[in-house]
Amino acid sequence: MDWLTTVDHKKIGILYLIAGGFFFLVGGLEALLIRIQLWKPLNDFVSADTYNELITMHGTTMIFLAAMPMLFALMNAVVPLQIGARDVAFPFVNALGFWTFFFGAVLLNVSWFTSTGAPAAGWTAYAPLSGPAFSTGHGMDYYVLGLQIAGIGTLIGGINFLVTIINMRAPGMTFMRMPMFTWASFITSALILFAFPALAVGLAALMFDRVFDANFFDPNNGGNAVLWEHIFWIFGHPEVYILILPAFGVISEVISTFSRKRLFGYSSMVFATILIGFLGFMVWAHHMFTTGLGPVANALFSIATMLIAVPTGIKIFNWIFTMWGGSIKFTSANLYAVGFIPTFVMGGVTGVMLAAAPADFQYHDTYFVVAHFHYVIVGGLILGIFSGLHYWWPKMFGRILNETLGKWTFWMFYIGFHLTFFIQHFLGLLGMPRRIWTYLDGLGFNEMNLISTIGAIMMGIGTIMFILNVVITNAKPQNAADDPWEDGRTLEWTIPSPPPEYNFKQTPLVRGYDAYWKEKMDGHKGMTPAEPIGSIHMPSPSILPFTMSLGLFITGFGLMYSRDWTFITEHIGFYIAGLGLLITFGSMFLRSVYDDHGFHIEPEELEDKGVKA
Amino acid sequence: MSSHSHAEGQLPHEPEKATLEGRNKVLGFWLFLGGETVLFGTLFSAFLALRHQVLDGPQPNELFKLSLVAAATAILLTSSLTSVFAIQALHNHNVKALINWLIVTVVLGLGFLGLEIYEFYHYVHEGHGFTTSAFSSSFYTLVGFHGAHVAFGIVWISSIIGQLMKKGLTVVTAPKVYVAGMYWHFIDVVWVFIFTVVYLMGKVV
Ligand code: HEM
Ligand SMILES: [Cu+2]
């Protein structure tokens, strides 16, 4: 019950981690099924239809239900601590964001258990394939409504972080003293704010096409299918930066901590992050070179895309210069961070190759593309998340993950990763198409696909080893020190692990970049407080975020079946949808009528009440 | 921080920004409106891409009656003005005037909404249904999204009026009023674009 009503950002972080981790396993299982199907030519392990469902759900799940929530987990756990805040700006909205994501995710996955099956038009849901003419079952309805509901959660989560970072920094924490992870979270949140509403419109229009016979994307009724692509990618390309920037932030923190050096070129890192965020919005049509936009558009988007390599290169060199001459400690967290660098560089190089429009006509829809984006999102983002989890685990849970097992896990996952995807570059160059459920014998694809599948299984084993590590660690006592790596540089390491519910007994006074490190170098034991000990105002828990999201879930469910269910009267689905809206708006009404004054923690009771998990 | 330390009567000049919660609300709402801008921007783009696809349905210049739309526009713009008066009353700590101006705003909003419902009803009779053409789908989606925003604003401001009557003007209610005022202006600005892009351009080309 405690977990259903919590508005504490640290607990919400843990909720995001559990839910996102669960969907990572689901998406991973889907990936393994795909790879098992492809391990030999003309395999009939799954049918063509099931295969389409598997790739669609794998891509959708990994991006929206696994990667984003795990990043939100880290952001929730760390950002308020890094800026010296007691809380986020909108604790209630934060909880609401989690629950809408969760119910949207559940709704999407319910589709597996329905008679018409899961969505099968690819995670990009290209029209008119995703329209009512070609996707006849309810699969795409689940996609449209599930993502719509989950997207609300992401959007309000992004606004929450923006306001928190702008308004709630501790005294002295200027923008140019903010840790890189917080900076990355800041830019990511801004991208979310400007990208997700476009997706919301696209999904709504597709929903209208499917449920209410609108004509947005159906060319037979005057609709425009390429319009869908524009809307999808004006969201979709920024989305990949929404994913990767926080990973960049993690890498900056981890490399600097374990090299015992200040991050090289801090201000150029900030600048590069902002520039990447900006350019991220300018390049969406590089996903559409083969749609026939014409040579001028292709050339412009091609050049704009290649420009992104410049700020990205700045970041890579700064990480390398940070390590240069540092006394590097290869903890598990740092292994992931160091392993990230060459992997991400490779993904970047193939990215520039794809950005050359004429070349893309050759690579398009082959395994070369699959190899490219997995180098970026698995070799970039997932390694970044693993790095961050090992690094902040003691802060989140008060226990250090087993280092030996952590290193074994890293090697298992890392080698498995390169086995899986390196070889796919060559499969692509040989012409193996993506999104096709099987291939013929004698094309020279057999051995490479087998190797790729073996690599995927190794990644699966690596993931299981990580879970094992979590279980083992959870059995240990909570005895992590405040600053367990002993080289902590930022504010989160100045408070107990796990932090008490109010984070900082006294708001710290920040006197420079790497605030804690600076105090250490000046010979101080901890931070100078910026205020006397006093009573602390806390928000009270509430069940309303849960019920609001539950209402949306019911609404989505009812809308989908508005035409099929007639067992009592016509349009039962609409009544169910109405009931759901009633629950949501009723909860909103309750929220606005009863003012939540929260409660105070008085100085006498300021002993540690850490997050229990 | 502590919302009960300010007793009635000693409200600060800008009570909506007196507490951190209030400042967070106002900033968060500005950002939210940034997102809403993208939302309407996308709807406008979709409409612009599809507005010539009328199929067998009526053309926009046969359909639109500018006099009706101009009346609706005048009403909505006036309501923006009355919401400004409401915010002035807020800054003068005049709860009575504040409530009255909010009520006027809500009534004008209802008037606008009534005209829009009549307009839609009329169009459907002219053979311009939601499913008629790509033009009609994108028209009803864009204008309807705006209408839904107006309807939401009416319910929202009404509930704030209720709170003001019950609790008076405090550092808790003031940010709510202020933010609702921002929302109402935003809706107005969007309407100005709809008037230009949908109706005026529909009449000429
Ligand atoms: C960890 C092991 C993973 C394996 C073995 C794996 C494997 C695959 C395979 C075989 C495909 C199908 C390619 C095709 O036929 O087009 C695929 C597609 C895809 N994967 Fe992964 N993947 C993994 C992780 C991830 C992660 C972590 C993400 C994102 C965060 C991701 C995102 C995608 C996307 C977006 C697609 C495209 C789906 C589509 O075509 O609609 N994958 N993956
Ligand atoms: Cu892109």
Side-chain angles (χ1 to χ4, degrees):
Chain A
M1 197 57 196
D2 206 18
W3 289 96
L4 296 187
T5 58
T6 185
V7 292
D8 180 351
H9 67 90
K10 298 175 288 296
K11 283 189 171 178
I12 292 174
I14 292 173
L15 285 174
Y16 267 118
L17 182 61
I18 295 171
F22 171 75
F23 286 111
F24 184 69
L25 294 181
V26 174
L29 183 67
E30 284 154 0
L32 277 177
L33 294 178
I34 301 173
R35 279 315 323 169
I36 292 174
Q37 164 65 18
L38 293 178
W39 77 273
K40 64 172 193 193
L42 293 170
N43 200 1
D44 58 1
F45 174 67
V46 296
S47 69
D49 286 335
T50 311
Y51 187 86
N52 286 346
E53 293 175 10
L54 282 174
I55 59 159
T56 305
M57 286 301 278
H58 162 72
T60 312
T61 303
M62 281 299 193
I63 291 197
F64 293 99
L65 316 182
M68 302 261 315
M70 287 199 282
L71 291 175
F72 267 45
L74 289 180
M75 284 157 70
N76 263 300
V78 177
V79 167
L81 305 184
Q82 281 198 329
I83 60 173
R86 289 253 163 73
D87 209 333
V88 292
F90 309 110
F92 181 90
V93 171
N94 201 16
L96 181 62
F98 170 75
W99 287 112
T100 44
F101 142 66
F102 180 76
F103 278 108
V106 173
L107 186 63
L108 194 51
N109 276 280
V110 167
S111 63
W112 280 118
F113 305 102
T114 61
S115 56
T116 51
W123 87 280
T124 50
Y126 277 170
L129 181 60
S130 55
F134 294 98
S135 293
T136 44
H138 281 296
M140 281 315 290
D141 297 333
Y142 280 97
Y143 173 95
V144 168
L145 290 159
L147 283 191
Q148 189 71 281
I149 295 170
I152 299 172
T154 311
L155 181 65
I156 57 185
I159 293 180
N160 184 31
F161 281 118
L162 283 172
V163 178
T164 305
I165 294 172
I166 296 176
N167 268 0
M168 300 186 53
R169 284 165 289 132
M173 174 66 75
T174 59
F175 270 102
M176 287 318 273
R177 286 177 181 173
M178 243 160 48
M180 258 337 272
F181 180 69
T182 298
W183 254 114
S185 305
F186 184 63
I187 303 296
T188 282
S189 304
L191 296 188
I192 288 176
L193 178 62
F194 293 117
F196 268 71
L199 176 69
V201 171
L203 291 174
L206 188 54
M207 193 265 276
F208 289 164
D209 271 12
R210 297 185 55 84
V211 182
F212 301 120
D213 295 321
N215 312 307
F216 280 97
F217 305 122
D218 179 3
N220 292 327
N221 292 321
N224 188 334
V226 177
L227 178 64
W228 167 265
E229 292 194 34
H230 280 294
I231 295 178
F232 186 86
W233 287 115
I234 195 103
F235 145 78
H237 189 78
E239 168 71 10
V240 306
Y241 292 96
I242 290 170
L243 293 174
I244 202 65
L245 288 180
F248 283 178
V250 172
I251 303 304
S252 302
E253 304 284 327
V254 170
I255 284 195
S256 145
T257 300
F258 293 116
S259 305
R260 305 190 86 241
K261 270 179 69 190
R262 186 186 206 275
L263 185 66
F264 187 91
Y266 169 78
S267 34
S268 68
M269 286 297 238
V270 171
F271 181 68
T273 309
I274 299 172
L275 198 61
I276 292 174
F278 174 74
L279 287 175
F281 276 97
M282 301 300 175
V283 299
W284 78 93
H286 65 206
H287 297 270
M288 301 163 65
F289 285 149
T290 57
T291 0
L293 299 177
V296 177
N298 278 2
L300 289 177
F301 280 101
S302 184
I303 293 166
T305 304
M306 292 182 190
L307 274 182
I308 299 189
V310 177
T312 313
I314 293 178
K315 297 205 132 232
I316 303 281
F317 281 112
N318 281 339
W319 288 322
I320 294 173
F321 287 137
T322 305
M323 288 192 284
W324 199 281
S327 54
I328 307 180
K329 266 197 234 163
F330 284 102
T331 57
S332 325
N334 203 23
L335 275 182
Y336 282 104
V338 175
F340 167 98
I341 297 177
T343 317
F344 191 80
V345 168
M346 279 195 58
V349 168
T350 52
V352 175
M353 291 167 74
L354 287 165
D360 183 63
F361 275 74
Q362 298 304 313
Y363 309 136
H364 183 72
D365 262 344
T366 70
Y367 263 82
F368 189 83
V369 177
V370 178
H372 156 68
F373 69 70
H374 282 90
Y375 260 79
V376 183
I377 43 191
V378 182
L381 167 74
I382 299 295
L383 291 185
I385 287 177
F386 273 127
S387 176
L389 284 177
H390 282 86
Y391 182 57
W392 281 306
W393 201 270
K395 191 48 68 185
M396 289 176 77
F397 297 99
R399 306 172 175 93
I400 300 185
L401 285 170
N402 184 304
E403 275 290 307
T404 322
L405 190 51
K407 285 173 188 161
W408 279 93
T409 308
F410 167 77
W411 287 113
M412 180 60 96
F413 192 87
Y414 197 68
I415 295 172
F417 163 76
H418 283 284
L419 271 188
T420 312
F421 293 111
F422 186 70
I423 209 144
Q424 290 186 3
H425 293 108
F426 299 101
L427 274 173
L429 293 176
L430 284 177
M432 178 164 158
R434 69 187 277 215
R435 294 180 168 176
I436 305 283
W437 89 106
T438 193
Y439 51 93
L440 293 174
D441 200 358
L443 297 173
F445 298 164
N446 303 8
E447 289 75 21
M448 292 196 228
N449 270 301
L450 180 60
I451 294 174
S452 186
T453 302
I454 293 172
I457 292 172
M458 284 177 70
M459 272 194 274
I461 297 175
T463 310
I464 293 172
M465 285 164 71
F466 178 75
I467 294 172
L468 205 65
N469 199 345
V470 169
V471 173
I472 294 174
T473 305
N474 206 39
K476 288 197 304 200
Q478 281 193 353
N479 57 3
D482 296 4
D483 182 11
W485 308 114
E486 289 161 10
D487 295 319
R489 312 174 73 85
T490 38
L491 286 180
E492 72 267 32
W493 307 112
T494 62
I495 53 176
S497 313
E501 57 177 328
Y502 44 80
N503 297 350
F504 295 87
K505 197 180 284 182
Q506 291 164 287
T507 305
L509 180 68
V510 175
R511 301 194 305 149
Y513 173 67
D514 274 349
Y516 187 28
W517 187 256
K518 176 162 172 53
E519 301 294 333
K520 285 184 193 169
M521 289 300 106
D522 290 352
H524 301 156
K525 271 235 140 69
M527 306 298 298
T528 322
E531 58 173 16
I533 293 188
S535 109
I536 296 174
H537 182 225
M538 301 295 296
S540 26
S542 164
I543 190 71
L544 292 178
F546 181 84
T547 54
M548 278 186 202
S549 316
L550 181 67
L552 289 178
F553 176 86
I554 296 173
T555 305
F557 201 68
L559 262 188
M560 273 188 265
Y561 290 97
S562 51
R563 297 197 182 161
D564 322 37
W565 289 348
T566 51
F567 42 91
I568 306 178
T569 73
E570 290 274 299
H571 304 313
I572 294 179
F574 279 124
Y575 292 115
I576 296 180
L579 174 76
L581 279 184
L582 210 66
I583 297 178
T584 301
F585 281 113
S587 310
M588 284 167 76
F589 181 73
L590 287 180
R591 165 74 180 164
S592 83
V593 173
Y594 295 107
D595 275 324
D596 165 24
H597 288 298
F599 60 96
H600 285 80
I601 301 179
E602 300 307 330
E604 308 82 71
E605 40 179 333
L606 283 182
E607 9 84 45
D608 299 345
K609 285 197 227 160
V611 183
K612 301 237 163 31
Chain B
M1 280 259 139
S2 49
S3 43
H4 20 77
S5 60
H6 297 280
E8 184 82 3
Q10 28 165 228
L11 270 179
H13 172 59
E14 290 190 329
E16 73 276 7
K17 291 179 188 146
T19 62
L20 179 63
E21 279 88 354
R23 285 194 298 279
N24 284 347
K25 247 197 191 118
V26 173
L27 176 63
F29 207 78
W30 272 113
L31 295 168
F32 171 75
L33 291 184
E36 288 265 90
T37 308
V38 175
L39 184 111
F40 277 103
T42 316
L43 287 169
F44 273 108
S45 320
F47 175 79
L48 285 172
L50 300 175
R51 73 196 183 99
H52 295 300
Q53 307 296 330
V54 293
L55 299 185
D56 298 331
Q59 296 276 355
N61 55 354
E62 307 163 359
L63 200 61
F64 297 150
K65 267 228 204 40
L66 274 191
S67 51
L68 183 76
V69 185
T73 308
I75 293 179
L76 198 63
L77 290 186
T78 313
S79 78
S80 213
L81 184 68
T82 57
S83 78
V84 172
F85 291 151
I87 299 299
Q88 276 180 350
L90 166 85
H91 284 161
N92 295 331
H93 303 172
N94 186 342
V95 192
K96 245 185 96 121
L98 169 59
I99 292 178
N100 286 338
W101 281 122
L102 286 182
I103 292 176
V104 176
T105 308
V106 166
V107 170
L108 289 171
L110 281 172
F112 172 85
L113 210 57
L115 282 186
E116 185 156 273
I117 291 170
Y118 168 76
E119 187 197 0
F120 281 10
Y121 174 81
H122 173 73
Y123 290 164
V124 173
H125 275 259
E126 303 270 296
H128 182 66
F130 184 64
T131 60
T132 307
S133 62
F135 160 63
S136 73
S137 297
S138 60
F139 168 82
Y140 282 114
T141 304
L142 171 58
V143 182
F145 253 74
H146 176 268
H149 273 74
V150 174
F152 181 82
I154 289 172
V155 176
W156 184 20
I157 298 180
S158 306
S159 91
I160 290 178
I161 294 174
Q163 291 182 40
L164 284 171
M165 290 182 173
K166 221 171 78 195
K167 299 172 193 153
L169 190 59
T170 66
V171 287
V172 179
T173 49
K176 295 188 183 183
V177 177
Y178 189 80
V179 160
M182 286 165 60
Y183 177 81
W184 200 255
H185 288 309
F186 177 78
I187 292 179
D188 266 3
V189 173
V190 172
W191 180 258
V192 171
F193 280 95
I194 291 184
F195 183 69
T196 318
V197 171
V198 177
Y199 293 99
L200 291 184
M201 276 168 62
K203 269 297 184 197
V204 285
V205 271

